[in-house]
Amino acid sequence: MGLHVESRASDSPYIDRVWRSRSSDVAQMMSVAAARWDLVFWEHRGQVCGAVQGPETRARPAPVPEDATFFGITFSLGTAMPHLPIDRLVDNSATIPGTTGSSFWLKGSTWRLPGYDDAEALVRRLVREDVLARDPLVAAALDGPRPEVSDRTLQRRFLAATGLTRGAVRQIDRARHAAILLQEGRPAQEVVHRLGYFDQPHLARSLSRFIGRTATQLADPPSPEPLSLLYKT
């Protein structure tokens, strides 16, 4: 019963995670904040649908179709579809037309519907056909040495590629990391010090906004309302 989720890493620089799930006897989940966008397909009662799901800046309840299966590709930070401006997808989604059990329609072409084990093949073709682009400066701005560009240029390119500011991405990723640590049984005070929160009230506000759970709820599952995919970014 609930939402059963499986995910894997990828060796593609364009992909952050590949995942699949199925629902059983659950009508709603808590969709946690996410700084990265997804290409999602699902089947419900014999009908296959697809959507581009943009970044989400806060946790919110989301309906779950009964007895449905889902498959998704979460793209790495800095990867975008230039023909779909990412700023219009923040806290929003775009339906993919012409989706069937074997194909879907995107940017004027028909594409074979990928599976959990061959998502990388679709992504390679999307890159070759210039449907996907990646700005390496974005990842460097978060994880590497400070890029040698002006602050204005960095912020402009970061927003263009992610739809979010660097500060927003860091806050979302930190809250997701905190939720995982709490689910693993780490004490809240340890999480505060490890991730650089000011104090426990600061952690509590972050969890409420981005995860939709308290530290106690994360440490003492299960909840009747499952969480969407959580993984270390």
Side-chain angles (χ1 to χ4, degrees):
M1 295 177 62
L3 193 64
H4 309 276
V5 182
E6 178 184 6
S7 72
R8 65 171 178 83
S10 173
D11 59 3
S12 169
Y14 296 87
I15 299 175
D16 198 68
R17 205 79 182 167
V18 180
W19 58 271
R20 60 185 173 187
S21 66
R22 56 185 176 86
S23 62
S24 176
D25 295 325
V26 60
Q28 182 173 278
M29 71 174 180
M30 180 61 68
S31 182
V32 303
R36 292 146 184 84
W37 62 277
D38 294 74
L39 188 61
V40 184
F41 301 95
W42 65 97
E43 182 176 0
H44 180 231
R45 295 178 179 173
Q47 182 176 2
V48 180
C49 302
V52 177
Q53 176 63 55
E56 297 184 80
T57 60
R58 62 172 54 248
R60 66 193 72 211
V64 178
E66 184 180 1
D67 296 324
T69 58
F70 305 83
F71 161 75
I73 304 171
T74 303
F75 289 89
S76 60
L77 210 62
T79 298
M81 289 185 179
H83 73 287
L84 288 177
I86 192 67
D87 59 328
R88 300 180 188 176
L89 293 171
V90 175
D91 293 321
N92 203 353
S93 64
T95 300
I96 298 175
T99 302
T100 70
S102 60
S103 65
F104 64 97
W105 183 260
L106 184 66
K107 200 186 177 184
S109 298
T110 299
W111 306 79
R112 186 178 69 82
L113 197 71
Y116 183 75
D117 297 318
D118 63 355
E120 286 79 4
L122 169 66
V123 170
R124 286 193 295 269
R125 186 186 166 200
L126 290 170
V127 173
R128 286 197 306 269
E129 300 293 332
D130 294 325
V131 178
L132 273 181
R134 181 173 179 267
D135 189 341
L137 181 144
V138 171
L142 288 175
D143 303 324
R146 172 69 165 78
E148 294 183 0
V149 296
S150 69
D151 287 341
R152 178 175 293 183
T153 297
L154 181 60
Q155 182 72 337
R156 176 179 56 80
R157 286 176 59 175
F158 202 95
L159 275 170
T162 70
L164 304 171
T165 65
R166 283 180 292 165
V169 170
R170 288 192 176 106
Q171 289 180 51
I172 291 169
D173 284 353
R174 180 168 63 168
R176 291 171 65 97
H177 192 182
I180 291 170
L181 292 174
L182 290 163
Q183 287 180 326
E184 293 174 347
R186 306 281 184 169
Q189 191 60 39
E190 177 186 330
V191 175
V192 166
H193 290 298
R194 181 168 173 175
L195 299 186
Y197 287 100
F198 295 124
D199 49 28
Q200 289 199 42
H202 183 204
L203 170 64
R205 290 192 297 272
S206 177
L207 292 174
S208 176
R209 177 177 180 180
F210 297 121
I211 308 299
R213 291 284 191 276
T214 66
T216 300
Q217 289 170 332
L218 288 164
D220 188 25
S223 167
E225 182 183 69
L227 294 175
S228 60
L229 178 63
L230 266 176
Y231 60 93
K232 294 180 182 179
T233 55

